[in-house]
Every structure is written in structure tokens, then in C-alpha cells.
Amino acid sequence: MPITVDGRSASGTAPAPAATLVIFGAGGDLTRRLLVPSLYNLAGSGLLDPGFAVIGVDHSMSSTERWRRDLGAAMQSFTRDPAAEFHAERIDARAWRWVEQRLDYLQGDFESPALYEGLERRLKGSVLFYLATGERFFAGIVERLAAAGLLQEQEGAFRRVVIEKPFGHDLASSRALNRQLLAAGRDGQFFRIDHFLGKDTVQSILALRFANRLYESVWSRRHIDHVQITAAETVGVEARGRFYEGTGALRDMVPNHLFQLFCMTAMEPPATFDAASVRKEKENLLKALRPVQPEKAVRGQYGAGMGKPAYRQEKGVAATSRTETFAALELEIDNPRWAGVPFFLRTGKRLAARHTEITVCFKLPEAKLFRGAAGQALQPDRLRLLLDPVRGVRTDFAVKRPGPGMRPGTVATGFDYDDFFHEPANVGYETLIYDALVGDAALFQSAGGIEAGWAAVEPLLQAWSDGEPEIYPAGSAGPAGADRLIRQTGRNWLELAA
Ligand code: BG6
């Protein structure tokens, strides 16, 4: 991303309108690791208006000066940390200065009316409230913002709220949260974020499907045998044991991130890319899902290994915990495009590789021209969308092996984003913050979509409140039960590697 910082974007995209971003949870991890680096990238690309400002709100005693200093130091530390989400060799002083001088800290208790009175005195014009807090604060903050009149939109000035996940922990609680939001403002004011939709590789699924003649014409039950969606991580629960205990892999990843990947892959073409059309098609797809029954799903929990403790020995985790750190499920869709085509989803922590991929596995050709040994050597074609950390597309298909006889052999072609596009990878929140500032909700979740997602996993939430997860060795591909789940349909998981 070329640094311009002159009020014009290098890409020709117009800067977002002037607004104040109020971050609840200013002292938290999300703000430091992802939100502030995103603002720096947006500023560097000329996508923020000179009238842009940030107020960081949190309960700890701090000051504007100290907050700016801490964030500046964090930005510098990321340049030395290969594991950081934000990658840069150096921090551009001009772009950082542009952001830094717009940062103000406001100390306050999210539950105290005094905080909202303070905000009311400071805020004028358009405001984007960003709830980077624990979920227990969401409803209360929104209610207090409304009570202080802070969600009232005046002519030409918006008031919007970005809500992080988790959006509820089941169908009933997500409905209740939606009701609380709608008692405080209009639905269009609430931006329910799913950070997977901020990844360029995920947004690109729609381009791959709808900007090419090649793929969409074969994108159905007629040609596709099944689809695998994998989000594997090598990390454990790290410092989040307490949070994770009450959440588990299913709630943490499936009805949100994995279902968004599923939607991008399987939704019908939207009439346009506007929010209403895109969200409607996703919602329709999620409503066509059969609620997943326990026999179509498997859960696991990581044991010790790779020099690391087992999940049950992690800080904040009960020694007899039954929380799953791995979930695999088979989705069945009742619509004309996908009836009979299973989508297998799996996600887990402490697995063999960090790897996020969607694999579209095609059927073999209908006409069996290759017979005998040649027919047996024939492998189905695969289209592999590599989302993270390797970012690219691979196709596995058959050619004739050199030499006598018509013998097929499988080969692969590949494209990597880094070879074609030289913009530094963004941290994933840039597009989402920009879109919320310009009011484009296409990459945010609708209330109906979230509820349909929870409804689809509801039988599992109930069934898994009881019984034990299967322990899997750290560094493996997950529990043996996951292999049985897919093998009983005559298929196999792909290896966890690009
Ligand atoms: C978060 C989950 O929403 O997504 C984490 O709470 C998970 O448990 C993370 O590690 C994965 O996101 P990413 O972008 O690192 O793949």
C-alpha cells in the first residue's frame, strides 16, 4: 500500500467521510494488535478524512499521552515480531504521526452514566462506536449510548455501532441481543463484525465465482462431489482459557467464521454486491441447512504434546473440562443447487499446521473413457482456495502421462497472491472499518443470518453439553472420530498443508 497521507487514496477509492471512532476496550488486545494497525494502514493509503478522530475508552487509569506512547511502542514491536498480524519492516513516521495526533483517551466505567455524559459533551457529527469489549458489556453499552441520545442521527451525520463476536452463545441469546439492539436504534446502525470477512482471500471467493466463466458454470451438485472447509490452528488457547472454557471450538468458530466461508462458497449469486442482496442470499442458504445432528459431528480436545500442556492443564481450564477444542461436522443443504452434496467442516487448536482452506472436490467425468488401471488412476479434480497463511488458489487436474498409452496423472497449477499483487497484506480490519465508516454493510452479518447459523448448530450445542470429547494428540490432524465421520461417506480429509 503506497503511503500518500495527502487526503487522496492511491487506489482512487474515496476517503471515508469525517467521523470520530470511539473504541470501547481501548486498552485491550484487539485495539492494540488489530484496530490501531488497521487505522495506520488506512491512513497510509489516504482512506481516512483529515477530520477523522479516535476516542479510546477504557476503565484503567491512563492518559492520552500514555495511550499514544504505548500504542506507538506496540507498533514498533510488531516490526520485530514475525508472529504479529501486522507485518511491516518499519513504521512510516508520517503515517503514524497522522494517526497518533488523532488519538484521545477517555477513562471511564462502561456501566456508569458519567462516561456517557462525558462522551456526549465531546461528540459532534458522525460517530462510529466500536465495541471491542467482552460480550457481557454489549447490550449495556448500546442501551446507555441510546439513553444518552448518542445514537440519534442528525441530518448528514451517522451514528453506528460495530459489535464484535461472540454475538450470543446460542439461538435464544442471539435473539435477545438483537432485540436489545433494536430497542436502542435502527438495524442499519448496527454492524455485526466477523473478521474472516475482512480477509482479502475470503472476499475474493465472490470474484472467483462470479468474475469467471470457468467456475460458476460447474458450481453445483451436477459437478461437485463434496466440499471441505478447514480452519486449523497450531496455537492452543493461550491466555484465553477462562473465556474458552465457556465457549469451545464449535461456538468460537463454526456458526460465525466457518459458516461465513460456507456462505461465500455456496450462496446463490446476489443480484448485486450491495448489502441487502448479499446478506439475503447468505441468509437463504443458512436457512436451507438441516440442523446438524450429533451423529453428523465429532468433537475433540487436545492432549499434551509438542512440549506443551494438555488443554486440561492450561491456565483457567478445569482439570476435568469437557470443552471441545476441535469440531468437525457434515452440513446437508436442502436446496436445488446443493442437495446431496455434503460440506465437511473442521476446525481445531494445536493441530499439525496453521491452515485455512476451502477445497471443492469435483466428481469424476460421467463418461468412463478411462478403464481398467487407467480408470483407477484417475483422481477427481480439485479446486483449492488457500485462505491463510498461504494465500492463493490451486487446481489439481489430470493430464496424460508422457510416454506410450493413455494413462492419466494428476498435476497441480497454482497462483499465490504475493506473486501477483504487491500491496502489503493488511491485518484484515481495514476494509471492515472503512466499510463501516462509509455505511456499507455487505461484509457484516445480518441478524437473520446469525440466528440461522445458531439454529443450524443448536442440536449440537444441546448434545455436547453432556458427554466427553475425544482426546487427540497435539500436533495431529484431530481425533480419529473426524476421520470416521468423513470415511463413512466414502471420502477422506485432505492433508493439512498447502
Ligand atoms: C477468533 C477466535 O475469532 O478467530 C480464535 O476467537 C481464533 O479462537 C481466531 O484463534 C482465528 O482467526 P485467524 O484470523 O487468526 O484465523
Side-chain angles (χ1 to χ4, degrees):
M1 230 180 283
I3 303 291
T4 58
V5 200
D6 61 357
R8 285 169 50 83
S9 122
S11 62
T13 310
T20 303
L21 173 67
V22 177
I23 305 177
F24 286 85
D29 220 35
L30 180 71
T31 303
R32 190 171 48 85
R33 280 181 21 241
L34 296 159
L35 300 185
V36 170
S38 299
L39 296 179
Y40 164 85
N41 280 339
L42 284 171
S45 310
L47 289 171
L48 297 176
D49 186 276
F52 179 76
V54 182
I55 300 179
V57 180
D58 221 323
H59 58 84
S60 22
M61 279 305 281
S62 189
S63 64
T64 292
E65 204 189 12
R66 184 152 161 214
W67 195 46
R68 289 180 180 183
R69 208 176 46 233
D70 290 350
L71 291 174
M75 291 294 289
Q76 292 297 345
S77 74
F78 296 143
T79 62
R80 300 183 293 271
D81 178 4
E85 289 90 347
F86 171 73
H87 306 287
E89 275 167 26
R90 59 178 195 93
I91 303 298
D92 179 86
R94 211 151 64 101
W96 174 244
R97 179 88 200 108
W98 195 98
V99 175
E100 187 191 36
Q101 67 194 8
R102 288 172 168 78
L103 300 174
D104 273 311
Y105 188 81
L106 178 64
Q107 194 242 330
D109 175 353
F110 302 154
E111 295 181 334
S112 136
L115 170 64
Y116 301 85
E117 287 157 21
L119 279 174
E120 213 272 319
R121 280 195 297 278
R122 285 175 179 226
L123 292 172
K124 285 196 188 57
S126 296
V127 183
L128 181 64
F129 297 99
Y130 197 118
L131 309 195
T133 68
E135 61 169 323
R136 66 184 189 283
F137 294 113
F138 294 165
I141 292 175
V142 169
E143 199 181 299
R144 289 185 186 91
L145 287 174
L150 286 162
L151 294 184
Q152 265 166 36
E153 299 186 302
Q154 310 290 337
E155 186 72 24
F158 63 77
R159 296 292 166 105
R160 298 183 187 129
V161 186
V162 176
I163 303 188
E164 268 292 337
K165 73 176 262 271
F167 198 92
H169 52 269
D170 56 15
L171 180 58
S173 56
S174 72
R175 277 195 178 140
L177 180 53
N178 269 324
R179 271 197 303 274
Q180 283 164 311
L181 300 188
L182 296 183
R186 278 182 307 114
D187 185 58
Q189 291 179 279
F190 298 106
F191 286 65
R192 302 167 188 87
I193 210 164
D194 184 309
H195 84 273
F196 267 44
L197 291 175
K199 296 178 195 264
D200 284 323
T201 46
V202 175
Q203 293 166 25
S204 184
I205 299 168
L206 296 189
L208 183 114
R209 288 185 55 194
F210 302 125
N212 298 296
R213 189 81 180 242
L214 191 56
Y215 299 114
E216 190 57 18
S217 49
V218 291
W219 215 254
S220 73
R221 63 194 301 266
R222 168 115 204 264
H223 303 283
I224 292 175
D225 174 74
H226 75 285
V227 177
Q228 298 188 16
I229 301 182
T230 298
E233 299 182 272
T234 48
V235 290
V237 287
E238 313 301 292
R240 298 160 77 218
R242 246 195 35 204
F243 155 80
Y244 202 83
E245 272 290 84
T247 305
L250 180 65
R251 285 189 169 89
D252 192 36
M253 296 291 288
V254 177
N256 31 63
H257 304 326
L258 293 198
F259 277 11
Q260 284 304 321
L261 300 184
F262 163 64
C263 284
M264 298 295 263
T265 313
M267 67 194 265
E268 291 300 311
T272 69
F273 289 125
D274 67 36
S277 311
V278 170
R279 291 170 12 149
K280 190 76 220 147
E281 292 306 342
K282 288 184 175 179
E283 219 173 297
N284 285 345
L285 175 69
L286 291 169
K287 285 185 178 156
L289 274 180
R290 285 191 201 162
V292 185
Q293 301 304 320
E295 54 280 10
K296 299 272 179 186
V298 167
R299 62 184 147 152
Q301 187 190 76
Y302 62 80
M306 302 160 78
K308 300 271 173 51
Y311 176 70
R312 288 178 181 171
Q313 287 143 16
E314 299 274 19
K315 201 164 160 248
V317 173
T320 54
S321 172
R322 297 195 304 218
T323 301
E324 80 285 354
T325 61
F326 176 99
L329 41 147
E330 177 185 338
L331 299 182
E332 298 169 291
I333 308 151
D334 283 317
N335 74 16
R337 187 189 287 257
W338 296 116
V341 179
F343 279 63
F344 296 98
L345 273 47
R346 63 179 163 163
T347 183
K349 296 205 182 278
R350 208 81 97 211
L351 295 177
R354 169 156 170 73
H355 187 70
T356 309
E357 170 172 346
I358 299 169
T359 320
V360 180
C361 303
F362 289 88
K363 295 182 172 172
L364 284 169
E366 270 165 16
K368 301 207 168 21
L369 288 178
F370 292 84
R371 303 190 182 101
Q376 270 157 29
L378 209 56
Q379 295 291 323
D381 298 344
R382 289 194 303 222
L383 175 67
R384 303 177 57 201
L385 311 181
L386 307 178
L387 308 179
D388 214 3
V390 181
R391 307 180 323 130
V393 178
R394 307 269 185 275
T395 36
D396 298 347
F397 58 100
V399 296
K400 176 188 167 294
R401 282 181 182 276
M406 183 50 113
R407 288 182 308 135
T410 297
V411 295
T413 57
F415 138 80
D416 281 88
Y417 275 84
D418 297 345
D419 294 341
F420 276 76
F421 303 107
H422 302 295
E423 291 88 350
N426 60 44
V427 301
Y429 278 75
E430 291 84 346
T431 312
L432 298 174
I433 295 174
Y434 176 84
D435 284 359
L437 287 169
V438 300
D440 181 351
L443 291 176
F444 291 82
Q445 303 185 85
S446 64
I450 292 179
E451 287 171 14
W454 281 120
V457 297
E458 198 75 1
L460 293 183
L461 296 178
Q462 280 165 22
W464 289 5
S465 60
D466 212 7
E468 292 277 332
E470 197 179 322
I471 305 293
Y472 58 92
S476 69
D483 291 330
R484 283 196 297 277
L485 178 78
I486 193 164
R487 278 212 197 113
Q488 72 193 7
T489 74
R491 301 168 176 101
N492 284 302
W493 293 110
L494 261 86
E495 235 186 280
L496 288 182

